Amino acid sequence: MSIQVGILGATGYTGGELVRLLACHPEVDLAMVTSEQYAGQPLEKAFPHVRGTGAPVCVKLDPALVAASCQVVFCALPHMASMEVVGSLLDAGCRVVDLSADFRIKDAEVFAQWYGEAHKAESLLEEAVYGLPELNRRAIAKARLVANPGCYPTSVILALAPLLAQGLVETRGVVVDSKSGVSGAGRSPNKGNLFPEIAEGFRPYKVTGHRHIPEMEQELSRVAGQEVRLRFTPHLLPQIRGILSTLYLRPTLPVTSALVESTYRNFYGETGFIRILPAGEVPSTNQVKGSNYCDIGWAMDERTGYMVVMSAIDNLVKGAAGQAIQNMNLMMGLPEDMGLKQFPLFP
Amino acid sequence: MSIQVGILGATGYTGGELVRLLACHPEVDLAMVTSEQYAGQPLEKAFPHVRGTGAPVCVKLDPALVAASCQVVFCALPHMASMEVVGSLLDAGCRVVDLSADFRIKDAEVFAQWYGEAHKAESLLEEAVYGLPELNRRAIAKARLVANPGCYPTSVILALAPLLAQGLVETRGVVVDSKSGVSGAGRSPNKGNLFPEIAEGFRPYKVTGHRHIPEMEQELSRVAGQEVRLRFTPHLLPQIRGILSTLYLRPTLPVTSALVESTYRNFYGETGFIRILPAGEVPSTNQVKGSNYCDIGWAMDERTGYMVVMSAIDNLVKGAAGQAIQNMNLMMGLPEDMGLKQFPLFP
Amino acid sequence: MSIQVGILGATGYTGGELVRLLACHPEVDLAMVTSEQYAGQPLEKAFPHVRGTGAPVCVKLDPALVAASCQVVFCALPHMASMEVVGSLLDAGCRVVDLSADFRIKDAEVFAQWYGEAHKAESLLEEAVYGLPELNRRAIAKARLVANPGCYPTSVILALAPLLAQGLVETRGVVVDSKSGVSGAGRSPNKGNLFPEIAEGFRPYKVTGHRHIPEMEQELSRVAGQEVRLRFTPHLLPQIRGILSTLYLRPTLPVTSALVESTYRNFYGETGFIRILPAGEVPSTNQVKGSNYCDIGWAMDERTGYMVVMSAIDNLVKGAAGQAIQNMNLMMGLPEDMGLKQFPLFP
Amino acid sequence: MSIQVGILGATGYTGGELVRLLACHPEVDLAMVTSEQYAGQPLEKAFPHVRGTGAPVCVKLDPALVAASCQVVFCALPHMASMEVVGSLLDAGCRVVDLSADFRIKDAEVFAQWYGEAHKAESLLEEAVYGLPELNRRAIAKARLVANPGCYPTSVILALAPLLAQGLVETRGVVVDSKSGVSGAGRSPNKGNLFPEIAEGFRPYKVTGHRHIPEMEQELSRVAGQEVRLRFTPHLLPQIRGILSTLYLRPTLPVTSALVESTYRNFYGETGFIRILPAGEVPSTNQVKGSNYCDIGWAMDERTGYMVVMSAIDNLVKGAAGQAIQNMNLMMGLPEDMGLKQFPLFP
């Protein structure tokens, strides 16, 4: 019998991507979608592209109703809103994949410092598992509550963790220059994201203090066994989807390209969603569009002593909805890639 | 046991789209892909996005080898090239879906007039079935050779056929204003399709004499039972995928919006790949992107007496590779939508 | 001594374009810019691209202050707002170029019918001159109040007027299929114009009843000497700037391409902002970007008896701010192209 | 009397931009444009946007003819081609602004190492002046031969030189992450730059060994008085114009934001084409589009000890044609900004 799943906050871009992917998942029934704005209306009112696909009618969020009809809940609410409902869903026996930032940071003080507000469900922080399957597969499988990683952190942690785990690169002075498509900024009307402001208008934003930093440092420090500090700059690309991160690293010892390649391949294995590119090739956002892949390439620069690592993901898939489904698969004992085997859409 | 299929000319955009879609088809094995340029190299050399998906190595086109390993052949060669190989494939027992223009025109003289060269496989023209499943389902199922429709014709015929079949609109004076994404122009290097020439540069092209005209008129005349003439203008959109056609029609009698809706619904039924929009809604290319859907909307303009019909497809899917697979499904007795149930990728 | 000019509503896209163009005008001093939202702040707060160019600080709109410091006022307020202030500016001796729709329609009843509200400054409608210089040069020169044409009407009227004036095409059954860049939709936040909704998402809108229709029909009927009716469909392009209109016309008599060319050349002369393309060439929005040009091409289709005319403008220049300055030049006795001689920005 | 100028290689994007800008220059007469491909045809054949602007007919490049009719020559030929003609132009008394890479590198061995071929006009290297006016104003004014900087180097050197000149940042370990619009790749047909490959396809390229590196290091080392090494990564943006460079720097001593601001302002002065942004603001490519401005912003990151500097230019203007004209103005004793005062085109 199919797993009954619900999506809270289904009419944002992440919610819509969950709908798209879950519709092709053979073991899942989309039992409930919630939306305050579209309550009472068919989902196709918010997303005309799902017309005719049997998507359910939107309802207002009522945790009791959600718990009554869903075994697994994807929570795609804004941050600070998830923490208000997740506890009652867990109490009612649901398993939850939360796509907000609310349960990613283990330390409530760190959360308060970066998000500017006190956490309201501190007691759940310890239990929550950071949902990056390539690092935390076993813990995710047993978790009641999975905190789905941010989009930038997914691209950065996957690129960096294997090197830190092997001690190949220094933990200080790491520079991360990331570029994201505009869908990462969500669907709320906003002058800065109007087409005429974005097209031909590449720019950095939040040059210091982006909220994904503590999440990246927390997980990478854990992997490295010592504190990792990142100099992180996000930029906004004139394209819909995709994150490409370029990382500048200092090897701790003379490192060959072959060693880098084998480090990655040993860490990730030959299967799964991480594609280690052949030496000399570079990732591109349009080689992962619409898919759950993360492509990783690298180059050694003898002139300057830097090692450059580049990773590409689709921010709405591996950076959000696809990874959430990968987590659900693990939690429910299904093959990790079930419902996620679609190729990238190129061109 | 799976159906063994081959793709001839696999490294153009249409070939790549066939690879993407066939990879998710549960009854198909991709046995062979041919490419003159990439022969001997893995397909991922031409299409890095398929890396790690088990796509085969490209080989040079040799009809005998193709026939030896494939039951169904998708021919994505340039026009005038298909007609050189299809005959021998049929003789060897293959069934063929040809995506070029070579077998779409029934009359060899009409072909010569529009394509500027004599046809070299005239004897196959009668047998070839025009592969628009919504019109020719039964003939396709029995065909050895299916001529897959052009992208513009798919968008135009699907919008117009039901109205002509019911005699609701005049057959003369029809105006068709179509707009296509650049992927329709193929992957050959060409100054006019460089990014800086296309972005911000919307323009018409081939204002008279586009080669898709005879194909549209042939099929629509058949449906109407009398000669149909189209005034057709293609335009090039600054986007990758999608065709939107706007048709200007003269009702033959007073026509209500409700009659138009029921005419479409009766013709296409409630299921399948044609989505009849609710009155007042308009199609958009990003509501069908990556999918096999054709969305159709309309409006009655009492001020001028015109009826406006608008249709949207993804030119690489319903306008090419998706429709070709839909045809293969029919030919092989499979459910028509097998492997084609993916949602559109929005945004 | 320089002409003192003011811009009311300077922080929308049209206002910004007026600032850009007036900054290069040798006979103009930008004395005042108004903005409710940015009052008290330098204009570069709204438009960082004008930083360092000496643009003035925004003030709240106060007609008395405007009149005290400006000889010519460009009114770039929303429709229904212009009509509240223009009268007092005229009374105070200003000359006004109004870029809203408020003074374009001569008949107050027609205005009320299309705009859904009663006109509040009916007494000025007769005096207002429709500011299409290529048609109304002499009246503009003497006008106190010029109603600057809409962007779509500029592209359509310029393409059609010479043919109607000569009686070469029928006045009924005209089909106009127009496509516009997104800047035409203004700078107000709006989900539908976010980058992810527009890119890859070409679509029609307001398929019946677009408010530019009465303005086009009014002016073209005047030129034709009989009532002209247009079947007009606007579409939204995934690009910033540019309008391309494709017109489908029925010749009233056998018309040669040479006759069409000479009709256009006689009507517009060899200089000025209208560029008649050589036979066989088509206009493109990126050949006029940033300039005040209107490019016009055409084709005769013997198969169907239609004549196709295509025109391209930059919606923010010839379709708004550039044309407004052209009107001001005429009103002030300056060379018509002063400050407007910039080339298109290609690519 | 006007200065007679010629453009060699006028039908690439840089050549076209020279035509656009020179057409508005009050002291210049465009006497000759050369193009091998379009010889004998009007320039509007290559660039329809210049139609009707009086641009001359293209001729084949003949140095004697060029010298006979031009006082100043802009050489926009490919690298290795410029060095074949510049000597004879100088001998004939022309002054030359060369936009290729041929005369930028002072050391012929360094040139050979990075460009893979021996230099053929070594004797001119010493005389050639690196044409970055903000650094070399006086030498440019007297030069016969100016080597116009590369686009990336312009964005990087302007951002970094003032800090190095004051010794505020370390000369080693500098990381430069640059992103460029596609027009920088030129107008030659190339599969990789087709619209469908670029849109939605952000990617790095030439991750090690981009040829602009030696030029940047040469000039910055000169300014710093010691060897500077750059870790430089270029990326290709899905947009037409614009370069944004993000630089990661290590202060040599505790540096306040106010000190950074005053350092920039003292170095560049309050006028000219360098716009120092207020603290906390970031540059964007669409705030400089079509203009000769370079916008510079910065941020101090106390968490990591890095200083981040960001600069934005239009690669075809300040990164090529605009800077070339700025150099010509200096060479001819004209105001440095003559013909270059256009505002950016936003949106």
Side-chain angles (χ1 to χ4, degrees), chain D residues 98-286:
Chain D
D98 180 48
L99 290 92
S100 83
D102 285 1
F103 299 99
R104 296 177 192 156
I105 311 290
K106 288 290 163 201
D107 184 331
E109 277 181 44
V110 173
F111 181 91
Q113 176 191 331
W114 287 83
Y115 286 82
E117 290 185 71
H119 204 284
K120 299 177 206 157
E122 251 189 87
S123 61
L124 292 171
L125 289 180
E126 196 188 332
E127 173 182 1
V129 175
Y130 191 76
L132 198 55
E134 289 76 11
L135 267 68
N136 299 333
R137 205 162 261 123
R138 263 176 280 181
I140 292 164
K142 293 178 293 189
R144 285 201 307 168
L145 170 56
V146 167
N148 212 57
C151 49
Y152 287 120
T154 297
S155 81
V156 173
I157 299 171
L158 290 173
L160 197 41
L163 306 176
L164 287 173
Q166 288 296 313
L168 294 189
V169 296
E170 290 181 8
T171 52
R172 295 299 175 104
V174 172
V175 168
V176 179
D177 192 284
S178 291
K179 303 88 177 173
S180 174
V182 187
S183 61
R187 210 182 187 192
S188 301
N190 177 327
K191 191 181 78 175
N193 296 338
L194 292 175
F195 187 94
E197 312 274 327
I198 291 291
E200 295 289 309
F202 181 73
R203 59 179 192 257
Y205 67 101
K206 289 196 192 134
V207 177
T208 53
H210 190 283
R211 287 168 168 178
H212 283 171
I213 293 172
E215 174 186 344
M216 294 190 264
E217 291 183 347
Q218 165 185 290
E219 293 302 306
L220 289 170
S221 297
R222 205 166 54 79
V223 169
Q226 53 180 288
E227 200 192 355
V228 175
R229 278 276 168 101
L230 302 181
R231 170 53 240 164
F232 173 71
T233 316
H235 301 73
L236 207 49
L237 287 168
Q239 64 185 51
I240 304 171
R241 288 172 180 244
I243 286 180
L244 190 131
S245 292
T246 313
L247 292 85
Y248 299 92
L249 307 170
R250 289 282 186 194
T252 48
L253 70 171
V255 166
T256 63
S257 185
L259 176 58
V260 173
E261 179 161 357
S262 66
T263 300
Y264 279 121
R265 292 201 188 279
N266 290 339
F267 195 93
Y268 291 122
E270 290 302 315
T271 58
F273 293 114
I274 315 298
R275 300 194 295 194
I276 308 304
L277 303 190
E281 297 199 16
V282 294
S284 174
T285 55
N286 61 2

Side-chain angles (χ1 to χ4, degrees), chain D residues 22-43:
Chain D
L22 290 171
C24 291
H25 194 293
E27 297 289 337
V28 155
D29 235 32
L30 187 52
M32 179 174 283
V33 294
T34 83
S35 165
E36 304 311 293
Q37 191 187 345
Y38 291 92
Q41 300 182 61
L43 190 57

Side-chain angles (χ1 to χ4, degrees), chain A residues 51 241 275 277 281 347, chain B residues 49 51 241 275 277 281 347:
Chain A
R51 184 176 283 126
R241 288 171 179 246
R275 301 194 292 195
L277 303 190
E281 297 199 15
Chain B
H49 70 292
R51 183 176 284 127
R241 287 171 180 247
R275 301 194 294 194
L277 304 190
E281 297 199 15

Side-chain angles (χ1 to χ4, degrees), chain C residues 79-133:
Chain C
H79 77 269
M80 303 306 293
S82 273
M83 58 177 79
E84 310 250 22
V85 301
V86 163
S88 58
L89 294 173
L90 294 175
D91 290 347
C94 294
R95 295 179 82 178
V96 176
V97 181
D98 181 48
L99 290 93
S100 83
D102 285 3
F103 298 99
R104 295 176 193 156
I105 311 292
K106 287 292 166 200
D107 183 331
E109 276 182 45
V110 173
F111 181 90
Q113 176 190 332
W114 287 84
Y115 286 83
E117 289 186 71
H119 204 284
K120 299 176 205 158
E122 251 188 86
S123 62
L124 293 171
L125 290 181
E126 196 187 332
E127 173 183 1
V129 174
Y130 192 75
L132 198 54

Side-chain angles (χ1 to χ4, degrees), chain C residues 13 17 19-20 23-24 45 47-53 183 187 195 200 240-241 275-278 281 286-290 293 295 316 341-347, chain D residues 13 17 19-20 23-24 45 47-53 183 187 195 200 240-241 275-278 281 286-290 293 295 316 341-347:
Chain C
Y13 289 141
E17 195 69 356
V19 172
R20 175 178 81 90
C24 292
K45 206 75 193 171
F47 288 124
H49 70 291
V50 308
R51 184 176 282 126
T53 56
S183 61
R187 209 183 186 190
F195 186 94
E200 295 289 308
I240 304 171
R241 287 172 180 245
R275 301 194 293 194
I276 308 304
L277 304 190
E281 297 200 15
N286 62 3
Q287 292 168 16
V288 297
K289 186 173 59 175
Y293 287 115
D295 283 3
L316 294 180
K341 283 177 264 188
Q342 292 163 309
F343 273 41
L345 189 75
F346 174 87
Chain D
Y13 289 141
E17 195 68 358
V19 172
R20 175 178 80 90
C24 291
K45 206 76 194 172
F47 288 125
H49 69 291
V50 308
R51 184 177 283 126
T53 56
S183 61
R187 210 182 187 192
F195 187 94
E200 295 289 309
I240 304 171
R241 288 172 180 244
R275 300 194 295 194
I276 308 304
L277 303 190
E281 297 199 16
N286 61 2
Q287 293 167 16
V288 297
K289 186 172 59 174
Y293 288 113
D295 283 3
L316 293 180
K341 281 177 266 189
Q342 292 163 310
F343 273 41
L345 188 76
F346 173 88

Side-chain angles (χ1 to χ4, degrees), chain B residues 173 177 179 197 200-202 217 229 231 233 235 238-241 246 248 285-286 301 303 306 346, chain C residues 173 177 179 197 200-202 217 229 231 233 235 238-241 246 248 284-286 301 303 306 346:
Chain B
D177 192 283
K179 304 87 177 174
E197 311 274 329
E200 295 290 308
F202 181 74
E217 292 183 347
R229 278 276 169 99
R231 169 53 240 164
T233 316
H235 301 73
Q239 64 185 50
I240 304 171
R241 287 171 180 247
T246 312
Y248 299 91
T285 56
N286 63 1
D301 182 16
R303 291 181 65 256
Y306 275 106
F346 173 86
Chain C
D177 192 284
K179 303 88 177 175
E197 311 274 329
E200 295 289 308
F202 181 74
E217 292 183 347
R229 277 277 169 99
R231 171 52 242 165
T233 316
H235 300 73
Q239 63 185 52
I240 304 171
R241 287 172 180 245
T246 313
Y248 299 92
S284 174
T285 56
N286 62 3
D301 182 15
R303 289 181 66 256
Y306 274 106
F346 174 87

